[in-house]
Amino acid sequence: GQNIDQPTEMTATEGAIVQINCTYQTSGFNGLFWYQQHAGEAPTFLSYNVLDGLEEKGRFSSFLSRSKGYSYLLLKELQMKDSASYLCASMDSNYQLIWGAGTKLIIKP
Amino acid sequence: GAVVSQHPSWVICKSGTSVKIECRSLDFQATTMFWYRQFPKQSLMLMATSNEGSKATYEQGVEKDKFLINHASLTLSTLTVTSAHPEDSSFYICSAKQGADTGELFFGEGSRLTVL
């Protein structure tokens, strides 16, 4: 079956670094996505990885290991506005997204 | 990035009435659009995949006669919640793919439906 696992909730301190992990099992693989979603709003795109390695984009970086079915989102210099849910999604062989349940990130001052 | 606009953002209706939600891709042609619903504190749940000019593909457990989807053009898909009931109250979100095989989805702002 197809499955995406990510932690339900994480807490971090403003200014610190946090890593949100995601493991996936999908029928075929066409990339791994990370989305940010603030409460009551639609998700916004953060990153897309299809090759192994680390993709850095400002304060946010995303890593992928296809052999391990594993990805993480790394957030540096955390700000209060980073408090949100972070959704991991894997694209399967039919180019459909399989969504994780999301990780609620709580930032404390 | 590409823009997807969803309308209305908020809608309150009486039980038994029907509500239509529009999803438009403003600066690109979307061959495929997706409709999701999201209950409070829960993840997105895919309801259906809508391809331009053909019938929508509904996920298991989603009533196609209750949630009517029309994708009449490459820039517009509509979701009609027929005979709405309070349990249909939810956040409905659409997304669109710019190309057939490209990965990124562009999301609409979402529509919050409250059925009294």
Side-chain angles (χ1 to χ4, degrees), chain A residues 4-25:
Chain A
I4 306 285
D5 284 318
Q6 55 181 127
T8 304
E9 187 174 295
M10 298 182 72
T11 302
T13 305
E14 189 177 16
I17 299 173
V18 71
Q19 177 175 311
I20 303 174
N21 296 324
C22 171
T23 57
Y24 64 90
Q25 287 181 306

Side-chain angles (χ1 to χ4, degrees), chain B residues 37-87:
Chain B
R37 65 189 298 181
Q38 186 176 33
F39 293 107
K41 299 182 180 180
Q42 295 186 27
S43 186
L44 299 172
M45 186 192 82
L46 180 65
M47 298 175 67
T49 302
S50 168
N51 292 299
E52 186 266 337
S54 63
K55 290 184 179 180
T57 303
Y58 289 81
E59 295 299 301
Q60 192 172 6
V62 178
E63 299 174 59
K64 62 180 181 181
D65 295 330
K66 181 171 182 62
F67 298 100
L68 301 178
I69 292 173
N70 184 287
H71 194 157
S73 76
L74 285 170
T75 59
L76 174 64
S77 177
T78 60
L79 167 68
T80 302
V81 183
T82 62
S83 187
H85 291 284
E87 57 265 31

Side-chain angles (χ1 to χ4, degrees), chain A residues 24-94:
Chain A
Y24 64 90
Q25 287 181 306
T26 52
S27 301
F29 180 74
N30 278 303
L32 193 292
F33 295 79
W34 284 96
Y35 283 83
Q36 180 191 61
Q37 186 179 25
H38 286 99
E41 298 180 12
T44 55
F45 172 79
L46 290 179
S47 68
Y48 170 63
N49 294 65
V50 68
L51 299 176
D52 289 347
L54 185 69
E55 296 269 350
E56 297 188 68
K57 194 185 293 185
R59 293 190 300 114
F60 292 3
S61 303
S62 57
F63 171 83
L64 176 67
S65 169
R66 288 173 296 172
S67 62
K68 296 181 180 178
Y70 167 70
S71 173
Y72 68 71
L73 180 69
L74 190 71
L75 294 80
K76 303 176 184 176
E77 301 170 18
L78 286 171
Q79 301 175 10
M80 297 303 292
K81 66 179 182 179
D82 297 330
S83 292
S85 284
Y86 291 86
L87 306 172
C88 169
S90 175
M91 179 170 282
D92 68 12
S93 55
N94 294 318

Side-chain angles (χ1 to χ4, degrees), chain B residues 87-108:
Chain B
E87 57 265 31
D88 298 324
S89 299
S90 186
F91 192 45
Y92 292 88
I93 308 172
C94 74
S95 68
K97 273 203 300 189
Q98 190 166 6
D101 296 332
T102 56
E104 187 173 351
L105 291 182
F106 301 95
F107 283 85

